[in-house]
């Protein structure tokens, strides 16, 4: 995939130059936005010979304030590091949208805003959230996304109210496979590759039919190119999801994302949070709790989310846990590529579990299911 449209050059040469040009362009554009908050994003993206096409629409602050009913409390969908997210309806098209308003006193600022606009304008995949437009009106910074009616994965996994439907096994595997495909696209199809850097359950949004899409690209980084093995950067992200080598050294690689995905997959399987201080001593950190259990297959059934009530395939559980165990390996080179993860999870998602036709699992029963390819590796 090329990020800029070029003519008169060989595909191979153009591809290399496109990647380098965009790599240089993001940081320089960020600095200009910090100095001049009202500069034109689209004009900036067109400089230095690139077409820099940004498909996102430019909104005025008045348009978005009207859409979100002046940001009333009853339109509030949620709040994060960037700021608050509101549900709105655009007057021009009647489209229902999600409007994210930058907290001017928050931790994330103009740099993250620009990165998100550039990334989501140039990256397109069914498992990435669609950016409709943005507002850089005076000192106001807002992003407009497609509205995701089912909220985030976190909303369906943790602290559910009694009347909310629990995710069944088939839906969990569908979400896991879709999120993995979004990450694979960033790693393998984007040029240069993109390191997401903030994969977590709250950043996986769900469309109709529980179709997952990765969101919130403010912390995304362009991955290493050429002979480089990593990108050195300030440690950012969410505690519990960061790969240990990145947290210790600031050296970011594609395998850092793979670790974060492994944590998310463990959350999907177990129903536990990445970090949960309300649990017993030794169980606060999900990965630390899971690692000893990975070594004893007789305990795998104990790791399944109790909310599943035993309605899952034992073999499918073993295989999913084997994928998660490989993703959260301490050594980055021991973790799989996202393409391999997608292959495994796409297969698991295709193996539909029918509770009326297949047995209910009991954690105390143990198992002698043969080892799978993933467990043998």
């Amino acid at each position: 995939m090329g990020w800029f449209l070029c003519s008169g050059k060989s595909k191979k040469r153009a591809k290399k130059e496109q990647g380098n040009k965009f790599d240089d362009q993001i940081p320089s554009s960020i600095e200009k936005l910090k100095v001049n908050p009202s500069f034109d994003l689209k004009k900036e993206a067109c400089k230095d010979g690139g077409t820099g096409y940004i498909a996102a629409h430019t909104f005025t602050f008045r348009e978005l304030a009207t859409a979100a009913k002046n940001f009333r409390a009853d339109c509030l969908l949620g709040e994060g590091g960037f700021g608050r997210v509101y549900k709105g309806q655009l007057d021009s098209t009647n489209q229902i949208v999600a409007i994210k308003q930058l907290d001017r006193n928050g931790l994330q600022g103009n740099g993250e805003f620009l990165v998100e606009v550039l990334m989501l304008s140039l990256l397109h995949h069914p498992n990435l959230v669609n950016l409709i437009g943005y507002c850089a009106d005076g000192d106001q910074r807002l992003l407009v996304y497609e509205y995701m009616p089912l909220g985030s994965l976190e909303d369906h996994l943790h602290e559910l109210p009694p009347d909310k439907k629990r995710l069944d096994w088939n839906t969990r595997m569908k979400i896991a496979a879709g999120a993995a495909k979004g990450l694979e696209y960033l790693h393998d199809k984007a040029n240069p590759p993109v390191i997401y850097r903030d994969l977590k359950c709250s950043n996986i949004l769900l469309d109709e039919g529980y179709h997952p899409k990765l969101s919130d690209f403010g912390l995304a980084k362009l991955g290493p190119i050429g002979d480089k093995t990593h990108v050195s950067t300030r440690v950012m992200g969410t505690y519990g999801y960061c790969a240990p080598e990145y947290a210790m050294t600031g050296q970011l690689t594609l395998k850092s994302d793979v670790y974060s995905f492994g944590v998310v997959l463990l959350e999907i399987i177990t129903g536990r949070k990445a970090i949960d201080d309300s649990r017993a001593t030794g169980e606060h950190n999900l990965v630390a709790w899971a690692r000893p259990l990975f070594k004893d297959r007789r305990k795998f059934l104990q790791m399944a989310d109790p909310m599943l009530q035993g309605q899952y395939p034992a073999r499918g559980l073993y295989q999913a846990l084997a994928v998660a165990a490989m993703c959260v390996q301490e050594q980055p080179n021991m973790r799989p590529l996202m393409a391999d993860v997608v292959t495994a999870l796409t297969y698991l998602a295709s193996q539909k579990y029918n509770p009326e036709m297949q047995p209910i699992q009991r954690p105390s029963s143990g198992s002698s299911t043969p080892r799978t390819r993933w467990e043998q590796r």
Side-chain angles (χ1 to χ4, degrees), residues 354-376:
N354 185 344
E356 296 181 2
M357 302 291 292
Q358 294 170 267
I360 303 297
Q361 305 301 325
R362 306 295 178 194
S364 59
S365 64
S367 175
S368 58
T369 306
R371 287 178 175 241
T372 67
R373 177 176 65 89
W374 276 86
E375 292 171 282
Q376 291 170 343

Side-chain angles (χ1 to χ4, degrees), residues 222-237:
L222 297 180
I225 56 176
D227 296 333
K228 295 181 180 178
T229 58
H230 63 270
V231 176
S232 294
T233 180
R234 186 163 51 116
V235 177
M236 300 286 285

Side-chain angles (χ1 to χ4, degrees), residues 55-115:
H57 182 74
T58 306
F59 292 96
T60 65
F61 180 72
R62 182 185 293 273
E63 284 179 287
L64 299 185
T66 300
K69 300 178 181 177
N70 289 319
F71 306 103
R72 287 190 338 208
D74 59 344
C75 294
L76 184 66
L77 293 173
E79 190 168 2
F82 185 102
R84 294 180 175 179
V85 182
Y86 296 87
K87 183 178 180 181
Q89 184 170 9
L90 301 175
D91 276 353
S92 56
T93 61
N94 290 325
Q95 183 180 3
I96 303 297
V97 295
I99 301 171
K100 185 159 68 171
Q101 184 177 32
L102 172 65
D103 178 0
R104 282 170 285 180
N105 298 316
L107 297 175
Q108 292 177 277
N110 288 331
E112 286 81 358
F113 171 82
L114 178 57
V115 168

Side-chain angles (χ1 to χ4, degrees), residues 53-353:
Y53 177 66
I54 292 182
H57 182 74
T58 306
F59 292 96
T60 65
F61 180 72
R62 182 185 293 273
E63 284 179 287
L64 299 185
T66 300
K69 300 178 181 177
N70 289 319
F71 306 103
R72 287 190 338 208
D74 59 344
C75 294
L76 184 66
L77 293 173
E79 190 168 2
F82 185 102
R84 294 180 175 179
V85 182
Y86 296 87
K87 183 178 180 181
Q89 184 170 9
L90 301 175
D91 276 353
S92 56
T93 61
N94 290 325
Q95 183 180 3
I96 303 297
V97 295
I99 301 171
K100 185 159 68 171
Q101 184 177 32
L102 172 65
D103 178 0
R104 282 170 285 180
N105 298 316
L107 297 175
Q108 292 177 277
N110 288 331
E112 286 81 358
F113 171 82
L114 178 57
V115 168
E116 184 135 16
V117 172
L118 289 173
M119 290 290 186
L120 287 179
S121 295
L122 297 167
L123 300 169
H124 300 283
H125 186 269
N127 294 109
L128 302 186
V129 72
N130 182 37
L131 179 70
I132 295 169
Y134 65 92
C135 169
D137 203 345
D139 62 352
Q140 294 288 344
R141 296 286 178 270
L142 301 98
L143 295 164
V144 184
Y145 304 94
E146 61 179 322
Y147 175 64
M148 303 293 279
L150 299 184
S152 72
L153 174 58
E154 182 179 53
D155 298 333
H156 295 266
L157 276 183
H158 307 311
E159 299 174 3
L160 273 67
D163 59 338
K164 192 160 190 175
K165 180 184 175 184
R166 271 58 178 171
L167 294 176
D168 61 30
W169 177 260
N170 294 336
T171 303
R172 294 181 195 224
M173 290 301 100
K174 175 182 178 179
I175 293 171
K181 288 174 184 176
L183 210 52
E184 179 197 24
Y185 169 80
L186 296 177
H187 288 186
D188 296 347
K189 306 298 192 298
N191 175 50
V194 172
I195 304 173
Y196 185 34
R197 201 163 56 141
D198 200 20
L199 184 65
K200 55 186 176 181
C201 288
S202 59
N203 281 347
I204 299 174
L205 302 184
L206 301 173
D207 204 350
E208 296 286 0
Y210 294 94
H211 179 78
K213 298 191 180 188
L214 306 185
S215 71
D216 201 340
F217 282 72
L219 296 184
K221 295 285 289 185
L222 297 180
I225 56 176
D227 296 333
K228 295 181 180 178
T229 58
H230 63 270
V231 176
S232 294
T233 180
R234 186 163 51 116
V235 177
M236 300 286 285
T238 304
Y239 180 59
Y241 294 93
C242 283
E245 75 283 354
Y246 171 51
M248 288 187 291
T249 68
Q251 294 185 351
L252 191 65
T253 69
L254 299 177
K255 293 297 183 77
S256 306
D257 276 349
V258 176
Y259 182 94
S260 300
F261 181 83
V263 178
V264 169
L265 183 55
L266 274 177
E267 288 188 85
I268 291 172
I269 296 167
T270 66
R272 292 173 173 247
K273 296 179 181 179
I275 299 293
D276 190 349
D277 292 333
S278 68
R279 291 193 176 271
T281 303
E283 297 185 18
H284 296 171
N285 184 296
L286 176 56
V287 174
W289 167 78
R291 278 205 171 114
L293 300 177
F294 286 146
K295 298 174 183 177
D296 187 350
R297 297 175 66 257
R298 293 170 299 179
K299 296 180 179 178
F300 277 15
L301 295 182
Q302 298 175 19
M303 300 175 72
D305 187 350
M307 293 298 178
L308 287 168
Q309 298 179 328
Q311 297 186 0
Y312 56 85
R315 183 183 292 272
L317 174 71
Y318 296 162
Q319 292 171 329
L321 283 172
V323 176
M326 292 185 67
C327 289
V328 296
Q329 290 277 352
E330 290 195 21
Q331 297 300 321
N333 61 346
M334 297 296 290
R335 299 172 201 153
L337 299 172
M338 283 309 303
D340 293 331
V341 174
V342 167
T343 298
L345 292 179
T346 300
Y347 170 76
L348 288 180
S350 72
Q351 303 300 297
K352 301 301 182 185
Y353 174 78

